[in-house]
Amino acid sequence: MTGTAYQQGTHVCVISHEGQTLFSQKGKLLGFSSEVVSILKGNALFICDHQGNTLSTHHYTESQPAKANSSKSLLFYLLFGCLDKIGDAYRLYQFLGRGNAIGTDGGDLNWKNIGICFLSIFFWIACFFAASKMGIVE
């Protein structure tokens, strides 16, 4: 009989009431009782007994409601908008500070522009990392 079952990394471990390991299988633990353990492997649900023998399998689809625009998405778009406006403001300041008309600077490249380019790349990497941690990008 099953005492407990728990997720350990990518494996499901099943323990008896006496504390002995009954079996361990790769998969995601969905639930257990004293008689059976439910393990998800891909999109197949395996119902196993306390010895790890498969009693039945079922097709599993996780039904989740469609996500509406959440505050996380709003935050991501605000970050995008801020970067866009900062870049526009910098370019306008750069052109006005030189006394050149907008678009007539000749496109020269200097260390300041290279630094700003790298900072924007690092900013987008950080935004993508933050978005993936918040669950916006999968």
Side-chain angles (χ1 to χ4, degrees):
M1 300 201 94
T2 302
T4 189
Y6 63 94
Q7 188 76 43
Q8 184 178 26
T10 59
H11 287 75
V12 175
C13 295
V14 179
I15 308 295
S16 70
H17 288 291
E18 293 81 29
Q20 296 175 340
T21 301
L22 297 175
F23 71 93
S24 178
Q25 284 188 15
K26 189 171 185 175
K28 179 181 175 185
L29 176 66
L30 291 183
F32 71 95
S33 70
S34 61
E35 299 295 323
V36 295
V37 179
S38 307
I39 301 173
L40 180 65
K41 297 178 185 178
N43 60 356
L45 175 63
F46 290 83
I47 308 297
C48 302
D49 65 6
H50 66 280
Q51 294 175 338
N53 301 320
T54 301
L55 300 175
S56 65
T57 59
H58 305 278
H59 181 70
Y60 181 82
T61 56
E62 186 175 359
S63 59
Q64 293 181 344
K67 290 185 178 179
N69 287 339
S70 66
S71 60
K72 295 176 184 176
S73 297
L74 181 63
L75 176 66
F76 186 73
Y77 290 121
L78 283 174
L79 286 173
F80 176 79
C82 287
L83 180 67
D84 185 45
K85 294 305 169 196
I86 289 170
D88 292 342
Y90 172 73
R91 292 299 290 171
L92 182 62
Y93 169 77
Q94 185 181 27
F95 287 126
L96 293 176
R98 288 185 184 168
N100 297 334
I102 293 178
T104 61
D105 65 336
D108 59 334
L109 186 64
N110 59 28
W111 287 108
K112 189 173 170 184
N113 289 341
I114 292 171
I116 289 172
C117 178
F118 278 115
L119 283 175
S120 67
I121 290 169
F122 290 131
F123 176 83
W124 281 112
I125 291 171
C127 283
F128 180 77
F129 180 75
S132 64
K133 287 293 183 186
M134 290 190 295
I136 298 171
V137 179
E138 292 183 272

